[in-house]
Amino acid sequence: MKKLLAVGLVLALSGCGGGYDSLPPQVSDGNGGTIGAGGTFPTDKGDWKYRSVSNEDGVFSLSASIYATNTYTVPKYPNLKQRSWIELEKRKMANDTISKRFTIFAPEEVKCTPNCDIRIKFNGNTATYSFLQSTEGVLTPVSEQSSSELFDKTVQSNKATVYLPIVGLSKEFGSEFNLRGYDAAKMKFISE
């Protein structure tokens, strides 16, 4: 009799749904947390990638890159979406000084022949910087001072928007970046 009562109770609860089958599925955020419908990432870190280059004298180049969180439609191929990215590099020079480089990669042709002004917003403050396009879609600041300044602003900010003048789009595209979670320790030379 107890078994029949238990089975009946289970059937009754499953018929009502028990409340759990109507909840949105939980999805891993990739950082050990979970999100559901309308949820946010608990850690909310950007997806930074790091690498280093060395020779017989040791590590001489450290770099970090991060992709935009949004995509744009490629003008020539409406079914294709592209995403820009930023790369930061610290390079140890022969005289032991360290240079800082900031580069924007736009996978499509940009209206910069050979240079243009690009607006960048860091944490709500927008400024305009002059860039050169030496290779299609690869944009570098016109001066080392500007490159170093942009490097520092990137690592000190939580978010950024880079307004790219993509050829074929009617207006600039705002590539948005989540810069949280930058690991300064991975971008530090032993001698620093």
Side-chain angles (χ1 to χ4, degrees), residues 3-191:
K3 287 182 183 178
L4 284 174
L5 184 59
V7 170
L9 186 56
V10 168
L11 288 174
L13 286 175
S14 65
C16 296
Y20 291 108
D21 57 351
S22 62
L23 292 175
Q26 295 289 308
V27 178
S28 171
D29 68 0
N31 293 312
T34 58
I35 59 170
T40 58
F41 291 105
T43 56
D44 200 23
K45 288 185 180 177
D47 191 20
W48 288 96
K49 305 288 186 225
Y50 302 90
R51 69 178 193 275
S52 62
V53 180
S54 59
N55 60 16
E56 63 276 355
D57 296 327
V59 175
F60 66 88
S61 174
L62 299 169
S63 61
S65 59
I66 191 162
Y67 279 86
T69 57
N70 59 342
T71 60
Y72 58 88
T73 301
V74 176
K76 293 179 187 174
Y77 306 102
N79 294 329
L80 181 63
K81 302 272 188 194
Q82 286 284 28
R83 187 182 311 268
S84 61
W85 71 95
I86 292 172
E87 183 170 291
L88 305 177
E89 181 189 24
K90 286 173 81 175
R91 186 171 284 222
K92 189 186 289 188
M93 310 309 278
N95 61 359
D96 283 338
T97 61
I98 296 172
S99 69
K100 296 178 182 177
R101 298 178 185 180
F102 174 95
T103 307
I104 300 169
F105 292 88
E108 296 301 311
E109 186 180 356
V110 180
K111 299 172 192 169
C112 284
T113 49
N115 62 329
C116 62
D117 288 337
I118 293 182
R119 293 181 307 122
I120 302 177
K121 179 167 52 173
F122 289 103
N123 290 342
N125 299 314
T126 306
T128 302
Y129 301 89
S130 294
F131 279 83
L132 292 172
Q133 179 178 227
S134 54
T135 305
E136 186 175 301
V138 180
L139 304 167
T140 55
V142 295
S143 71
E144 286 182 26
Q145 179 183 351
S146 182
S147 191
S148 181
E149 177 186 335
L150 284 166
F151 182 108
D152 291 341
K153 283 187 175 186
T154 301
V155 301
Q156 295 165 4
S157 300
N158 290 325
K159 61 183 179 177
T161 304
V162 177
Y163 297 94
L164 295 171
I166 306 289
V167 171
L169 294 182
S170 59
K171 61 181 184 176
E172 296 171 325
F173 177 76
S175 285
E176 298 172 0
F177 295 89
N178 175 5
L179 303 175
R180 289 180 177 90
Y182 172 79
D183 190 344
K186 290 183 180 178
M187 291 289 287
K188 191 170 186 174
F189 291 106
I190 294 172
S191 59

